[in-house]
Amino acid sequence: MLASDLFTWFLEHHINNTDKMTELINIQILYFAVLKDKTGQNGETLSVKEKSTLASIYRQLQKKYDLPEQHRLKVAINDSFSTWDYRPCHGDTIVFIPPVTGG
Amino acid sequence: MKKFSITQESIAIKHLLVALEDPVCGAVSTFEGRVRKHNLEREVIELHYESYETLCLKEGQQIVDEAINHFEITNALCVHRIGVLEIGDLAIWIGVSAPHRDASFKACRYIIDEVKIRLPIWKKELYVDGDSGWLEGAG
């Protein structure tokens, strides 16, 4: 086996093992206002890879539902504001908050 | 009485004003936000307010507490209505009592300004032509 083949085998083997070790967690998403209209629902349960960030989760949903750009939104986890790099745990509830218009 | 609350019903002002009364206060400032007939040159029939209630109650309480801590006031109350509101309906009421007027005016202004940029509440306008849409950004 050539050294390059060995290297390729190592990479694939390593990546496969990493994938197997990555567990899925279930999180609850609640939708409000324009996000509720775009997704057509009040919320949903998602299975995502453990250690996913809120930003990466939103990117997936943004593509799926054609949601607004992330920079215009805030995000909350379990009823408290959060940062986008936060990695939710199994059972967490997430709300993506479009620009607010109260008052 | 909670300093910040959300209601689906018309906001009853009388008991709120009574709650602000204090013998040390020589000033009471109030702000009323009402549904107006036109927005961005479009004629509005009604507004639909929606809130993320749990976070909204926490953040609203925080805003009122900040006003009480930052300004020399005695008491402050804020009520936001949600649901379907018609033209002229009261959407938000803020009341502040203080020994002197300067602090009561400033605190009242602080609360409405913070509400508009921080509270997770959204309004959808329904127009005369049958169109509707969620507003974006503080108005």
Side-chain angles (χ1 to χ4, degrees):
Chain A
M1 186 179 277
L2 294 171
S4 59
D5 292 338
L6 191 62
F7 182 65
T8 304
W9 174 86
F10 171 78
L11 278 181
E12 287 175 352
H13 183 74
H14 179 72
I15 289 167
N16 285 341
N17 278 347
T18 304
D19 279 349
K20 282 172 191 167
M21 286 189 296
T22 304
E23 292 188 12
L24 294 176
I25 58 167
N26 287 338
I27 53 172
Q28 182 73 24
I29 313 281
L30 301 180
Y31 295 118
F32 291 96
V34 67
L35 301 193
K36 186 191 285 185
D37 284 1
K38 290 259 188 185
T39 61
Q41 55 193 341
N42 293 322
E44 62 182 319
T45 301
L46 289 183
S47 290
V48 298
K49 284 182 183 173
E50 194 178 26
K51 297 184 181 174
S52 297
T53 64
L54 294 176
S56 70
I57 294 166
Y58 186 74
R59 275 197 297 275
Q60 294 173 34
L61 294 168
Q62 188 188 11
K63 284 181 191 166
K64 183 177 178 183
Y65 297 114
D66 188 28
L67 301 182
E69 295 292 325
Q70 179 201 309
H71 69 86
R72 300 178 56 216
L73 279 68
K74 292 181 179 175
V75 62
I77 189 149
N78 300 332
D79 299 330
S80 293
F81 285 111
S82 175
T83 55
W84 287 98
D85 59 357
Y86 185 83
R87 301 175 193 276
C89 303
H90 182 79
D92 281 348
T93 299
I94 296 162
V95 179
F96 300 110
I97 300 174
V100 300
T101 50
Chain B
M1 179 181 288
K2 289 181 180 175
K3 290 183 167 50
F4 177 83
S5 57
I6 297 171
T7 180
Q8 296 256 8
E9 311 296 326
S10 297
I11 300 173
I13 297 172
K14 270 188 180 178
H15 75 286
L16 295 168
L17 285 168
V18 170
L20 287 177
E21 286 178 5
D22 191 304
V24 303
C25 293
V28 174
S29 297
T30 63
F31 173 81
E32 296 185 359
R34 293 180 178 270
V35 179
R36 62 174 177 262
K37 192 175 181 181
H38 291 89
N39 189 34
L40 301 174
E41 299 181 356
R42 298 188 75 177
E43 191 169 347
V44 177
I45 297 175
E46 63 184 28
L47 283 187
H48 177 198
Y49 281 92
E50 181 177 289
S51 76
Y52 169 16
E53 186 167 332
T54 322
L55 182 55
C56 194
L57 290 172
K58 284 169 67 173
E59 193 70 3
Q61 179 71 45
Q62 174 71 25
I63 291 169
V64 177
D65 284 345
E66 286 169 8
I68 291 171
N69 291 330
H70 292 170
F71 302 97
E72 290 185 12
I73 61 176
T74 305
N75 208 348
L77 297 170
C78 177
V79 183
H80 203 302
R81 187 175 168 190
I82 58 169
V84 177
L85 278 73
E86 297 177 348
I87 306 303
D89 281 348
L90 186 55
I92 185 169
W93 186 90
I94 297 164
V96 176
S97 58
H100 304 287
R101 67 185 184 283
D102 188 48
S104 70
F105 277 131
K106 284 178 177 169
C108 202
R109 178 69 193 243
Y110 177 83
I111 293 171
I112 184 60
D113 287 351
E114 294 299 308
V115 160
K116 280 188 167 286
I117 57 174
R118 288 167 55 184
L119 277 195
I121 292 183
W122 304 272
K123 59 187 163 196
K124 189 179 200 175
E125 288 182 338
L126 180 64
Y127 305 106
V128 168
D129 60 13
D131 195 12
S132 65
W134 291 101
L135 298 186
E136 296 186 0

